[in-house]
Amino acid sequence: MVQSVTADHIVLGLFVVIGLIFVPLTVTASHLLAPSKPNPRKLDTYECGSEPVGPPWVQLRVGYYVYALLFVVFDIETVFLYPWAVAFDRMGVFVLVEMLVFITILAAGLAYAWKEGALRWR
Amino acid sequence: MSPIAVGALKVFAAIGLMLGNGVVLIYMLRKVLGRLHLRHGPMEMGPAGMFQTLMDVVKLLTKEDITPRAVDKWLFRLAPLMVFVPSLMAYAALPYSDSWRITSLDSGLLYTFAVLSLVPIGILMAGWASANKWSLLGGMRAAAQQIAYEVPLLLSVLPIVMLVGSANLGTIVEAQQGTFLAVLPRWFIMNPLFWPTFVLYVIASLVESNQTPFDMSEGESEIVAGFATEYSAMKFGLLFLSEFSNGFIVSALGVALFFGGWSLPWIPASWYAAAPIIGPAIFIIKTYIGIFFMMWIRGTFPRVRIDQMMQLGWMRLIPISLAWIVFSGIVIKVWS
């Protein structure tokens, strides 16, 4: 068991390494094959043919930020549910009750965010 | 062979599968969309236009790679890497057959979701670095929608993990072997407990893989090409390869979770041992059928608005999936 786990982890490491090599390699290959004739017009920012107005990094609505904060909370709590689900059929009814409490707290948090209007896209 | 050599071969196999998928899926998308629009799709290159995507790969390789003046150069180059590598890593935990696995992780399901959730970072990076308002909007939308649906996606499949007692995708497939009532397969899709799970999974996975009707991040009629607007040549190719590959991954996960993975119940077990290619072939064919349905949806549904989508995720899907976890937990306990 331990043996197979380490072999699998080597494979995952190789995925990262080879992926990190593969991308620059293809991009470099395309650079070697492709022509390169830049001119000022070509290097302009493409906004449907008109000159860009104002800075590109505009301010965005605050809704994105609120959702990101909510996501951090809920995603971490979701990850906590996975070990519980794996062990679920091996443990008694008590585990179910414990998780009911956990999910109730989660749902209460969601209900609070809902009441405060954080879930509404503004 | 040393474990590193074996591992490297496995990674190259995964890259081969990913590139092959890209070429086949783009051709398939054009043909399917063409038929849905009462057109033929590509017809010129080879029989029925079969070599069209291969020629497109050649075109992408030999096209000028434009890096616009205004972009943030390093982030701009790094973004395709950040999108491509997680998509490639998602191939690692899929159960191609009982003997053909790249890895057999006990946390395979969680691992696949985890690497897929790295993709929006790359997309946001691409959108931000492009110094283009379309790209920035597309990148922000992609990040917002993918983090919003990450939670329901993870929650939706939890009842299956609870029933099987493992997050290893191979074990989940093995739990679906055999038949009941003599002919019906014992797939999880046949179990009424998992019907809401399946609906939630389909919606959330369409959003996660940026498929229409949830493709606001690159809605071409609104924001040109979204986060990919300033990309050209091979960098663009890699971004879109990952896009198609993610579609394949969510479909393959759906096959493993709901449709019995590599197995068909009517095939005797000895056949798999005699010809090991049968398992992966069935798995890939089922996955492609799933992708066909995704393309069908793409061809027939209009794009939803971003506020509708965000509120659907937070106000409907998350409460429903939480309630369904509680309900199926009780049902599973009462049963056993």
Side-chain angles (χ1 to χ4, degrees), chain B:
Chain B
M1 274 197 287
S2 74
I4 295 195
V6 176
L9 281 179
K10 285 176 168 177
V11 179
F12 287 123
I15 292 181
L17 180 61
M18 185 172 180
L19 298 178
N21 273 335
V23 171
V24 177
L25 284 179
I26 294 171
Y27 173 70
M28 183 174 149
L29 177 71
R30 287 173 166 174
K31 276 295 187 192
V32 171
L33 280 187
R35 286 294 165 181
L36 286 169
H37 295 164
L38 305 180
R39 306 182 273 114
H40 286 291
M43 290 297 281
E44 297 297 326
M45 289 291 171
M50 274 215 235
F51 303 134
Q52 181 70 46
T53 12
L54 286 178
M55 300 320 284
D56 282 342
V57 172
V58 175
K59 182 195 78 175
L60 283 175
L61 262 174
T62 54
K63 254 189 117 165
E64 181 174 359
D65 191 354
I66 302 166
T67 308
R69 193 177 329 112
V71 303
D72 186 328
K73 298 250 167 6
W74 278 106
L75 284 185
F76 190 76
R77 286 176 196 143
L78 208 58
L81 201 70
M82 273 303 295
V83 175
F84 180 86
V85 175
S87 303
L88 176 64
M89 288 184 76
Y91 282 84
L94 294 181
Y96 301 99
S97 85
D98 52 354
S99 51
W100 291 26
R101 306 259 178 89
I102 292 176
T103 64
S104 179
L105 294 175
D106 279 335
S107 54
L109 183 61
L110 195 56
Y111 163 83
T112 310
F113 286 143
V115 288
L116 276 187
S117 70
L118 290 175
V119 173
I121 301 177
I123 291 182
L124 189 57
M125 205 185 256
W128 180 266
S130 295
N132 179 320
K133 293 182 196 78
W134 305 130
S135 304
L136 183 60
L137 273 176
M140 286 303 277
R141 285 181 181 188
Q145 77 180 58
Q146 296 199 10
I147 65 176
Y149 281 74
E150 179 84 18
V151 181
L153 186 69
L154 283 163
L155 289 175
S156 69
V157 298
L158 215 56
I160 291 180
V161 180
M162 281 153 67
L163 184 73
V164 178
S166 171
N168 185 329
L169 286 164
T171 317
I172 292 175
V173 172
E174 274 152 23
Q176 303 175 57
Q177 308 289 325
T179 53
F180 64 95
L181 298 179
V183 285
L184 294 175
R186 202 178 280 283
W187 296 343
F188 285 151
I189 191 68
M190 309 300 277
N191 186 339
L193 187 63
F194 295 134
W195 291 346
T197 304
F198 181 66
V199 174
L200 290 169
Y201 177 80
V202 168
I203 298 174
S205 63
L206 283 178
V207 181
E208 276 295 299
S209 55
N210 278 337
Q211 300 288 330
T212 325
F214 305 108
D215 65 338
M216 270 74 75
S217 58
E218 53 194 86
E220 63 273 16
S221 52
E222 302 168 9
I223 49 173
V224 192
F227 60 90
T229 305
E230 291 292 1
Y231 281 88
S232 52
M234 212 51 215
K235 291 197 194 100
F236 176 84
L238 288 170
L239 284 178
F240 268 76
L241 181 62
S242 322
E243 194 84 2
F244 278 91
S245 160
N246 292 346
F248 177 86
I249 295 291
V250 294
S251 179
L253 271 184
V255 165
L257 289 168
F258 298 99
F259 293 96
W262 68 77
S263 65
L264 273 183
W266 310 289
I267 295 184
S270 57
W271 289 22
Y272 295 111
I277 193 73
I278 292 181
I282 293 173
F283 185 73
I284 301 279
I285 289 170
K286 280 182 182 173
T287 306
Y288 270 69
I289 293 172
I291 295 171
F292 171 74
F293 277 94
M294 280 154 64
M295 290 173 178
W296 192 355
I297 291 172
R298 179 177 182 145
T300 36
F301 279 79
R303 188 177 295 134
V304 300
R305 280 203 325 260
I306 186 147
D307 60 324
Q308 293 169 333
M309 186 191 62
M310 297 302 282
Q311 295 190 6
L312 175 74
W314 284 104
M315 294 172 145
R316 299 285 177 272
L317 293 193
I318 292 180
I320 292 173
S321 44
L322 278 178
W324 200 251
I325 288 170
V326 173
F327 179 77
S328 37
I330 295 168
V331 168
I332 292 169
K333 273 290 172 231
V334 169
W335 236 335
S336 56

Side-chain angles (χ1 to χ4, degrees), chain A residues 1-14, chain B residues 3-4 6-7 10 102-105:
Chain A
M1 192 65 204
V2 175
Q3 188 64 42
S4 85
V5 167
T6 43
D8 280 354
H9 289 180
I10 290 173
V11 175
L12 292 187
L14 284 170
Chain B
I4 295 195
V6 176
K10 285 176 168 177
I102 292 176
T103 64
S104 179
L105 294 175

